[in-house]
Amino acid sequence: MQWSPIGSEPLPPPLPPTRGDFSGNRSEFRRMVTKGAMLELVTFGFYRFWLVTDIRRHLWTHTAIDGDAAEYTGRAKELLIGFLVALAILVPIYLAYFLIGIEFERWQGFASLPLFIGFYAFGQFAIFRARRYRLTRTVWRGVRFWMDGSGWAYSLRAMLWGLLVFLTLGLALPWRAAALERYKMQHTHYGDLSGHFEGDGWTFFKRGWWLWLLSPVALVIFPLAPFFYAEFKAREWRWWLDGIRIGGVSLSSNLPHDAFYGLYWKVIGWWTLLSAAFGAYMVGGTLLVVQLTGVPVDQVFEPGDGAKSIPVVAMMVIGYFAVALAVNIVMRVYLQRDLWAKVLETVEVHDIAAAADVRGSGQLASALGEGFADGLDVAGF
């Protein structure tokens, strides 16, 4: 007989990491955003709250970890109400600044600085609160994510780090990203599991220091700029994913540095094509107006007679909205859906068993933060 003392049994080997899986249909997503963009046009942009909700629900429900898909429980009405409340706060600020600028015209240049600082602070507050809202509407295996922490404390940190980035000509950007992400993850929870962030600024800096050095060259030579930005975003995504921890669960990614080259260049290609089509449309439309009205081309745009240019102006407005609508669709397909799928296929989840016995906790957050983010045009995805 063979026996071994109690407690001396070998530990079972750790389970292999679980990969993320995205099963969303690209054609279905494209139809959804095309329909949503058209409804945005006829509703003067107010349908975007419903479209954003549909996009998130599509991406969340087709994203599975360990065989279980996530669920997005946010509602468009919440976003609309949050936006209207935020608008009721922001509009008086805009109006007060406008009146002060008229009253003290010679001091208007100096007044711009506190206004910019104030809106930057509001923007950072909105980014934090919008993330809190999205997390509290995200459910996986019946348990909700949630956040605590102060949006204003985050805003103060972001402003101080932003000042340091400005003084160092962007050199402190990796440390700013690490510090702010660390604060957000410290206040992120999945049920009763708490999050933290293991990424650090030095690791991020080592991955992209040469991008910082060569960025002035990329700004001057346009064809390099999309490559540099795509390279930076890929390295940032991988660094961010490698640092995420929720309890004993950790993430890692093998996202290649050139993963986004094609996506950004496809967007630029579509933008160039649509701009060329808009130019051809305007030239053809102007020639048609000239032929139908008999007005010479040089008189169509004369400032003295606005009636002659009304048809051309109407065509220009229609064409502009059509191009804006198409660009909106292109960006959502390539830089939301395709980017999401490309990132997710590289993600590995380690020690998923640590999230097996999680108890629900936390409270729902209001959509006011997302309303601020939308009103200040800093709304993240």
Side-chain angles (χ1 to χ4, degrees):
M1 296 179 60
Q2 293 183 353
W3 61 277
S4 58
I6 297 176
S8 64
E9 294 86 356
L11 294 174
L15 295 175
T18 300
R19 300 193 66 89
D21 178 57
F22 181 71
S23 58
N25 184 277
R26 195 170 188 274
S27 298
E28 178 186 344
F29 183 86
R30 186 175 61 248
R31 288 193 297 270
M32 179 181 66
V33 296
T34 301
K35 174 185 174 183
M38 292 179 177
L39 290 173
E40 276 187 295
L41 184 63
V42 299
T43 60
F44 302 100
F46 275 92
Y47 188 77
R48 70 179 177 273
F49 306 108
W50 280 262
L51 178 56
V52 166
T53 301
D54 289 340
I55 290 174
R56 291 175 182 168
R57 192 168 291 134
H58 174 90
L59 296 180
W60 266 241
T61 55
H62 290 95
T63 298
I65 303 295
D66 199 27
D68 293 309
E71 180 184 359
Y72 181 74
T73 61
R75 294 181 299 168
K77 289 182 180 179
E78 294 175 336
L79 299 181
L80 175 60
I81 294 172
F83 172 75
L84 294 176
V85 173
L87 208 60
I89 297 173
L90 293 175
V91 167
I93 297 176
Y94 277 114
L95 182 60
Y97 172 72
F98 175 73
L99 295 176
I100 291 173
I102 294 177
E103 188 68 24
F104 304 100
E105 187 173 351
R106 58 180 177 172
W107 302 104
Q108 192 170 3
F110 294 99
S112 313
L113 181 60
L115 182 74
F116 171 78
I117 294 174
F119 278 128
Y120 183 79
F122 263 117
Q124 297 303 314
F125 168 82
I127 289 172
F128 183 86
R129 291 296 299 267
R131 172 171 165 146
R132 173 186 286 184
Y133 170 80
R134 290 190 293 270
L135 276 176
T136 60
R137 268 60 176 185
T138 300
V139 177
W140 184 66
R141 288 182 172 174
V143 179
R144 181 164 40 84
F145 289 85
W146 57 285
M147 278 186 75
D148 54 13
S150 168
W152 290 118
Y154 175 84
S155 177
L156 178 61
R157 284 173 169 80
M159 291 177 66
L160 294 175
W161 274 104
L163 177 62
L164 185 59
V165 170
F166 175 76
L167 294 176
T168 59
L169 301 178
L171 188 63
L173 183 63
W175 285 270
R176 177 187 184 273
L180 296 183
E181 192 59 39
R182 193 173 299 116
Y183 182 82
K184 288 185 284 190
M185 286 303 302
Q186 284 172 353
H187 296 282
T188 297
H189 309 271
Y190 171 62
D192 59 354
L193 295 182
S194 296
H196 58 284
F197 187 70
E198 294 292 330
D200 61 85
W202 180 243
T203 302
F204 192 8
F205 177 78
K206 287 190 295 183
R207 293 186 180 186
W209 62 269
W210 59 276
L211 292 171
W212 176 77
L213 288 177
L214 297 179
S215 56
V217 179
L219 293 176
V220 175
I221 306 175
F222 170 74
L224 293 178
F227 283 111
F228 271 60
Y229 188 72
E231 183 88 23
F232 171 77
K233 294 305 292 184
R235 292 173 184 270
E236 182 184 38
W237 268 100
R238 183 168 180 173
W239 167 80
W240 177 69
L241 289 167
D242 288 344
I244 291 179
R245 306 288 186 271
I246 299 287
V249 182
S250 62
L251 301 184
S252 66
S253 170
N254 60 355
L255 187 71
H257 68 95
D258 57 351
F260 300 153
Y261 284 179
L263 298 181
Y264 282 98
W265 273 107
K266 285 175 183 176
V267 171
I268 293 172
W270 274 106
W271 181 84
T272 304
L273 181 63
L274 291 169
S275 298
F278 177 71
Y281 161 80
M282 286 304 303
V283 170
T286 303
L287 293 177
L288 180 62
V289 169
V290 169
Q291 185 177 3
L292 293 177
T293 61
V295 179
V297 177
D298 56 343
Q299 296 182 16
V300 171
F301 299 100
E302 281 187 357
D305 191 357
K308 296 178 181 178
S309 61
I310 288 178
V312 177
V313 172
M315 291 176 49
M316 183 182 299
V317 172
I318 294 172
Y320 171 79
F321 279 111
V323 170
L325 185 76
V327 169
N328 205 308
I329 295 169
V330 167
M331 293 186 66
R332 281 170 170 154
V333 171
Y334 288 111
L335 300 185
Q336 286 188 359
R337 188 267 171 202
D338 288 358
L339 189 145
W340 178 281
K342 193 171 285 289
V343 169
L344 193 63
E345 69 184 9
T346 70
V347 173
E348 291 186 340
V349 184
H350 303 266
D351 299 326
I352 192 68
D357 299 318
V358 180
R359 291 175 297 175
S361 185
Q363 306 233 344
L364 290 174
S366 75
L368 179 60
E370 184 124 359
F372 272 121
D374 199 288
L376 294 168
D377 197 24
V378 295
F381 180 67

